[in-house]
Amino acid sequence: MCAVNRCTPSIGSKKIEVPQRTCVDCKTLGCAHNNGRYPSFCLTAQTDSDDVADLRSSYEDDAQTYAFMKAAAVTTSRGFSEQLCRVEETMDYFHRMGYRKIGIAFCAGVAEEARIFAKILRIHGYEVVGYACKVGALSNADMGLEESCCNFGSVACNPLMQVQRLNEAKTHMNVVMGLCVGHDSYFYKLSDAPCTTLLAKDKAMVNNTGAALYASQTSSLWSRMMTCDPTLAAPGFVDEEALAAWEAKKAQGCCG
């Protein structure tokens, strides 16, 4: 395995172009520290008093929106001051918003974690409705999915049934635990109730998604992410010739 360069011919040193710089390009965080240190592209520095007034009105003039913001702010503050874990913060938010019926959409791979969370919620008086990703037991093959999708189980994930059943249950808020990338997006899109994520699944990092980001800055295996992998690149970013060369080297036992 080429841990660092991933054998990416002609694209490893390709210049990164940023047509519009935004907050992800900022190193000062002047907005968070309120110290007036703003880069030239800073949106905060470009926000005038009229913009601020409009924003406040948008939050304050709608009772539901204001309640959401107020509860979130108090929950965040308590989380810092009392060192609450995310499970506790989540319940604190439910409490402040008056939510009692909670939905859980979980990956079958974290079923035990979902059961523990449901038990904790019930101990605190919440009504819980939860559905696993494999509910309905749809076949990958019958769904016409690629054969490789069956390599790790013949049953397809089913976020549509999960969200349909939780919508029918009229949950006050839904908690996502470990749904795969894409399945979680579809669930969020169709959910009638507001959603939060309690656990993000990471198959390589024991569900600690941040670990790979930290490791990418070291000489670890994950530094490979700092060189473009054609199979992960944005559509059209890597030409077909470079992609074919990468695939050829991978077939020889290098890369990937």
Side-chain angles (χ1 to χ4, degrees):
M1 177 181 289
C2 294
V4 176
N5 62 28
R6 301 281 282 185
C7 302
T8 49
S10 78
I11 61 174
S13 59
K14 189 170 183 178
K15 183 179 180 181
I16 298 175
E17 297 181 359
V18 182
Q20 179 183 4
R21 294 190 179 276
T22 55
C23 294
V24 294
D25 304 298
C26 175
K27 294 183 179 180
T28 66
L29 286 180
C31 57
H33 302 301
N34 197 27
N35 58 15
R37 296 178 58 198
Y38 303 129
S40 59
F41 56 82
C42 182
L43 179 60
T44 298
Q46 300 167 18
T47 303
D48 59 28
S49 58
D50 290 338
D51 295 326
V52 173
D54 288 341
L55 284 169
R56 288 191 58 180
S57 294
S58 296
Y59 282 123
E60 296 173 354
D61 292 351
D62 182 86
Q64 186 176 24
T65 299
Y66 187 68
F68 159 82
M69 287 298 295
K70 183 178 180 180
V74 178
T75 291
T76 299
S77 176
R78 185 185 180 194
F80 279 118
S81 64
E82 299 183 29
Q83 293 188 310
L84 301 183
C85 69
R86 186 161 180 112
V87 172
E88 292 169 319
E89 280 197 61
T90 301
M91 291 193 295
D92 182 88
Y93 184 73
F94 294 160
H95 174 82
R96 295 181 191 283
M97 289 297 292
Y99 297 152
R100 189 175 184 279
K101 190 171 188 179
I102 308 303
I104 304 177
F106 64 97
C107 169
V110 296
E112 180 61 22
E113 290 88 338
R115 284 193 289 269
I116 294 171
F117 181 49
K119 180 178 180 178
I120 291 170
L121 289 178
R122 286 167 175 155
I123 287 172
H124 288 79
Y126 292 98
E127 180 181 354
V128 181
V129 182
Y131 292 101
C133 63
K134 303 298 185 181
V135 63
L138 294 177
S139 164
N140 275 315
D142 290 344
M143 288 280 286
L145 302 177
E146 293 183 15
E147 186 176 345
S148 61
C149 296
C150 299
N151 292 342
F152 302 96
S154 61
V155 180
C157 293
N158 192 359
L160 180 57
M161 180 173 280
Q162 286 178 294
V163 76
Q164 285 177 338
R165 292 297 180 267
L166 292 178
N167 285 346
E168 289 172 3
K170 299 187 183 304
T171 52
H172 298 150
M173 190 165 184
N174 293 326
V175 179
V176 171
M177 296 183 65
L179 296 190
C180 294
V181 175
H183 298 145
D184 56 357
S185 302
Y186 193 61
F187 183 92
Y188 299 140
K189 180 180 180 181
L190 297 182
S191 176
D192 289 341
C195 301
T196 189
T197 299
L198 181 62
L199 189 154
K201 181 170 63 180
D202 190 312
K203 302 173 182 69
M205 308 303 292
V206 199
N207 298 332
N208 181 1
T209 56
L213 298 178
Y214 308 135
S216 71
Q217 305 300 295
T218 71
S219 58
S220 72
L221 171 69
W222 305 104
S223 64
R224 67 190 187 187
M225 294 190 292
M226 288 301 166
T227 300
C228 182
D229 177 339
T231 64
L232 303 178
F237 183 68
V238 179
D239 61 46
E240 292 298 323
E241 182 179 351
L243 179 57
W246 189 91
E247 292 287 3
K249 290 205 173 192
K250 181 177 180 182
Q252 296 171 5
C254 187
C255 311

